[in-house]
Amino acid sequence: MAMGGTRFRLLFLTLQLLLISCAISSAKITLRFPSPTFRPESSSSVSIKSKLYETKYYTQILDHFTYTPRSYQTFQQRYLISYKHWGGAKQNAPIFVYTGNEGDIEWFTQNTGFMFENAPHFKALLVFIEHRFYGKSIPFGGNKDVAYANSSTLGYLSSTQALADYATLIIDLKKNLSAVDSPVVVFGGSYGGMLAAWFRLKYPHVAIGALASSAPILYFDNITSEYSFHSTVGNDFRSESENCYKVIKGSWQQIEDTAEQSGGLDTLRKSFRICKNYISAGALVSWLSTAFIYTAMTDYPTPSNFLNPLPAYPVKQMCKAIDDRKAGNNTLEKLYSAANVYYNSTGRATCFNLNDDSDPHGLDEWSWQACTEMILPIGGNNADSIFPPSEWDYAGRAQSCEDALGVQPRPNWITTEFGGRNIQRVLKRFGSNIIFFNGLRDPWSGGGVLQDISKSLVAIVAKEGAHHVDLRFSTPEDPEWLKHARRREVKIIESWLSQYYRSSSS
């Protein structure tokens, strides 16, 4: 059984996920993130095998911002809804809305246990809205060949259009349910968390608050250091073992040197059990780097299935594999054992495929967003990085986008549209009711809001937390710091709702 490092172009990671460039000597290696395997989180309290939601479609307008004939075209936007615990319109019971990420909404829904587990407490209606151009929410008659054809159609794929989609759908849904006075709270993780925060700022008349988990809204326009992302990855491994960190850091040159030797690629193929379809030094480096980056991102305290099946504290397990004395001084064998933690924790893979370009969850069109508005400068590696030194190469990104899609990026648009600079001062003047959760073991946390801005713009920072760990289904083995973070989030949302109901009755 072969298990592939599925890759998709210029992927962000939910955000999901982005282009990351790594230099080995003078060679530039583009690291492509793999598409996660669709295995929803399990939960002791909510069975994912039961019917958690109903699937519905909303007739959505193509373009919210112009009045040309084409803008009035429509498409079917998918959303998932659960009435199970809703207190109903007569009670003005709340509506919790997940602002969908860059992929199949079912994947994100089935990995967002926080909303399901707290719906009974709040008597909340749950709604998960799929992002346009992803999953089954495809404009132009649902025809991907047409929708993804070129910039004339892909031009309708943007965060601002998506936010307007969400606002339009929510308002219409509330009207149809006779629930116009039911308060709405939006939730999201990663790119979805960015959308949740921006939705609250752009549509405060629609949502009374937002929980934005692992939302790197400050990773634009050079607000955050280009070295931050990879520095966090390295620090995660270094915190477990100095030797582990040094072995990984020193491995890239060894891979390059081996590849250049006669028969070197065969040596690498055998060392890493690569299927006999394709191998190069660059592909192998990308495959290994992906494992280290994703493992750092999902360094959860309990077993998970979000990206790949992983044990609890997978960074620790990788370092155990690298530090194992049985491998002696064989660096390649140590790296293979570490990669198995991410790619083969089940033990069922007999070889690995480096040339798998499938996209099972509809994430591929992030390439368009990553070439237009989502320009996150995370490609730098300083001397302490676990990866070879390199600089963020905007010119290279722009040229790649021009070559692949015929489009030039707009690196300053996100901060123009949503802000970001001087966020403490700016949001204090007009923003309210947003929770920013970040785990400091998450490489994206460097671009997150890590300090309270006001009494209602709250930063919850978990030193041991990973990528939107707070939104996962809970387990009895969850550490106290995670339970505390979730209890605090619930308490804050309770205060928003209480304030809303008091102001509505006065």
Side-chain angles (χ1 to χ4, degrees):
M1 174 182 176
M3 183 172 291
T6 305
R7 52 187 171 81
F8 42 94
R9 299 178 303 274
L10 300 172
L11 184 64
F12 179 55
L13 167 343
T14 277
L15 23 169
Q16 195 261 137
L17 308 175
L18 261 172
L19 268 186
I20 298 177
S21 291
C22 172
I24 294 185
S25 296
S26 61
K28 278 284 185 178
I29 305 298
T30 298
L31 306 187
R32 295 178 177 86
F33 287 107
S35 170
T37 304
F38 191 8
R39 298 182 182 89
E41 297 278 13
S42 59
S43 168
S44 58
S45 59
V46 179
S47 172
I48 59 172
K49 294 181 180 179
S50 64
K51 191 171 183 180
L52 293 181
Y53 47 78
E54 300 176 33
T55 300
K56 295 192 175 185
Y57 288 86
Y58 176 74
T59 300
Q60 187 62 262
I61 193 171
L62 179 63
D63 184 2
H64 298 278
F65 304 110
T66 66
Y67 300 90
T68 62
R70 193 183 205 186
S71 70
Y72 289 93
Q73 292 183 21
T74 60
F75 67 96
Q76 295 303 297
Q77 183 168 27
R78 181 168 57 158
Y79 66 99
L80 313 177
I81 190 166
S82 173
Y83 300 93
K84 184 175 181 180
H85 300 289
W86 192 37
K90 291 183 179 179
Q91 296 186 31
N92 292 337
I95 300 173
F96 288 176
V97 176
Y98 188 93
T99 50
N101 300 55
E102 69 288 17
D104 190 311
I105 191 59
E106 289 195 285
W107 174 39
F108 295 103
T109 300
Q110 295 182 17
N111 287 285
T112 308
F114 182 86
M115 291 175 65
F116 287 102
E117 292 178 345
N118 287 287
H121 172 71
F122 288 102
K123 297 182 179 180
L125 175 69
L126 301 183
V127 183
F128 299 80
I129 309 177
E130 191 163 62
H131 196 297
R132 59 167 54 202
F133 282 84
Y134 295 104
K136 294 184 178 180
S137 300
I138 310 298
F140 302 101
N143 189 328
K144 291 185 178 181
D145 290 337
V146 175
Y148 301 166
N150 52 51
S151 59
S152 68
T153 52
L154 281 170
Y156 297 101
L157 169 53
S158 70
S159 58
T160 50
Q161 293 281 7
L163 293 175
D165 287 342
Y166 300 157
T168 303
L169 192 156
I170 291 168
I171 290 170
D172 199 57
L173 178 65
K174 291 177 68 176
K175 180 180 178 181
N176 291 337
L177 294 174
S178 299
V180 292
D181 292 325
S182 288
V184 173
V185 178
V186 292
F187 299 76
S190 196
Y191 173 51
M194 296 159 74
L195 293 172
W198 292 336
F199 190 89
R200 168 59 185 165
L201 296 175
K202 289 292 185 179
Y203 296 94
H205 56 291
V206 179
I208 68 164
L211 170 51
S213 181
S214 299
I217 62 172
L218 303 182
Y219 244 129
F220 297 93
D221 205 7
N222 298 311
I223 296 173
T224 300
S225 169
E226 66 179 85
Y227 305 117
S228 176
F229 187 95
H230 290 150
S231 292
T232 302
V233 175
N235 290 338
D236 287 352
F237 284 90
R238 200 169 197 172
S239 70
E240 297 296 342
S241 163
E242 183 70 18
N243 177 67
C244 176
Y245 160 79
K246 288 181 177 179
V247 168
I248 298 172
K249 183 176 176 63
S251 67
W252 313 113
Q253 187 65 50
Q254 183 171 343
I255 290 173
E256 182 186 26
D257 291 344
T258 302
E260 291 178 350
Q261 297 171 3
S262 177
L265 289 179
D266 283 337
T267 297
L268 293 174
R269 185 195 305 278
K270 292 175 182 178
S271 297
F272 291 96
R273 285 64 162 177
I274 304 303
C275 303
K276 292 187 176 181
N277 58 347
Y278 170 81
I279 187 171
S280 69
L284 181 60
V285 166
S286 175
W287 183 75
L288 287 170
S289 301
T290 291
F292 296 135
I293 290 169
Y294 268 171
T295 298
M297 283 177 53
T298 56
D299 192 35
Y300 297 137
T302 56
S304 67
N305 292 323
F306 180 49
L307 299 181
N308 276 338
L310 289 174
Y313 299 108
V315 169
K316 183 185 295 292
Q317 297 306 314
M318 274 193 168
C319 283
K320 280 186 178 180
I322 288 174
D323 292 341
D324 190 342
R325 294 182 179 179
K326 293 179 182 179
N329 294 322
N330 190 331
T331 297
L332 300 183
E333 187 65 28
K334 290 174 181 288
L335 292 176
Y336 167 74
S337 298
N340 260 276
V341 174
Y342 180 76
Y343 289 113
N344 191 25
S345 66
T346 64
R348 292 196 294 265
T350 57
C351 67
F352 300 99
N353 180 3
L354 301 186
N355 198 32
D356 182 356
D357 60 357
S358 59
D359 179 29
H361 310 306
L363 302 163
D364 201 30
E365 290 319 300
W366 182 259
S367 58
W368 173 262
Q369 290 188 263
C371 273
T372 51
E373 57 179 354
M374 296 295 164
I375 311 300
L376 294 90
I378 64 173
N381 292 294
N382 57 23
D384 290 330
S385 174
I386 202 169
F387 302 110
S390 65
E391 302 296 325
W392 158 243
D393 182 13
Y394 171 74
R397 163 71 71 83
Q399 187 60 56
S400 297
C401 294
E402 178 66 38
D403 293 343
L405 296 168
V407 65
Q408 279 291 318
R410 296 179 184 175
N412 310 117
W413 173 244
I414 288 296
T415 52
T416 301
E417 175 69 7
F418 301 114
R421 293 196 174 278
N422 303 312
I423 194 169
Q424 293 275 343
R425 173 167 50 84
V426 173
L427 287 194
K428 188 179 292 185
R429 292 203 302 263
F430 79 94
S432 65
N433 291 9
I434 303 176
I435 302 168
F436 295 99
F437 173 88
N438 281 281
L440 295 185
R441 294 185 74 81
D442 176 15
W444 292 108
S445 64
V449 176
L450 303 179
Q451 295 181 338
D452 290 353
I453 296 175
S454 68
K455 289 183 179 180
S456 67
L457 294 168
V458 179
I460 298 178
V461 179
K463 182 180 179 181
E464 300 301 318
H467 202 53
H468 51 68
V469 63
D470 57 323
L471 295 183
R472 296 179 66 215
F473 280 107
S474 63
T475 74
E477 293 76 30
D478 286 340
E480 183 55 37
W481 61 260
L482 179 54
K483 295 177 182 178
H484 174 75
R486 289 172 174 151
R487 287 195 298 266
R488 189 177 174 198
E489 289 170 346
V490 168
K491 186 175 181 180
I492 292 171
I493 294 169
E494 286 176 340
S495 70
W496 296 344
L497 292 170
S498 295
Q499 183 182 29
Y500 172 83
Y501 290 129
R502 284 197 304 270
S503 63
S504 298
S505 61
S506 61

